[in-house]
Amino acid sequence: MSERLSPNFTRAEFACKCGCGFAEPDPALVTGLQALRDALGKPIIITSGCRCAKHNTAEGGAKRSMHVAGKAADIRVARMT
């Protein structure tokens, strides 16, 4: 079981998709996403959270991407655009 960071998010949800193990989201990001989830009353799916530099480059991310600093997440919410 992955470490719970908030009532609705775990560390594993933020982990770099390349499998390198980078999963250190900024606490302010987690707090903000939890507040959004509470306001929406709907689950939030993190499609991209933390990214190591190599994975960020492979994804075409910006050189100074906030994903690399653990300060950004791409999300999806069912039936919302």
Side-chain angles (χ1 to χ4, degrees):
M1 183 169 191
S2 184
E3 177 187 354
R4 189 152 298 282
L5 300 175
S6 75
N8 297 103
F9 296 103
T10 64
R11 185 171 306 281
E13 292 176 271
F14 289 91
C16 184
K17 302 290 187 203
C18 80
C20 70
F22 176 46
E24 294 296 327
D26 187 283
L29 174 63
V30 177
T31 298
L33 287 172
Q34 184 62 53
L36 178 60
R37 199 270 184 225
D38 292 344
L40 293 175
K42 296 180 176 186
I44 292 174
I45 306 301
I46 298 169
T47 59
S48 182
C50 298
R51 294 180 190 165
C52 67
K54 184 176 178 180
H55 184 67
N56 187 62
T57 299
E59 289 291 309
K63 288 182 181 182
R64 294 187 177 155
S65 172
M66 290 290 102
H67 287 277
V68 178
K71 294 183 178 195
D74 298 336
I75 63 171
R76 182 172 51 83
V77 179
R79 294 179 302 279
M80 293 188 80
T81 57

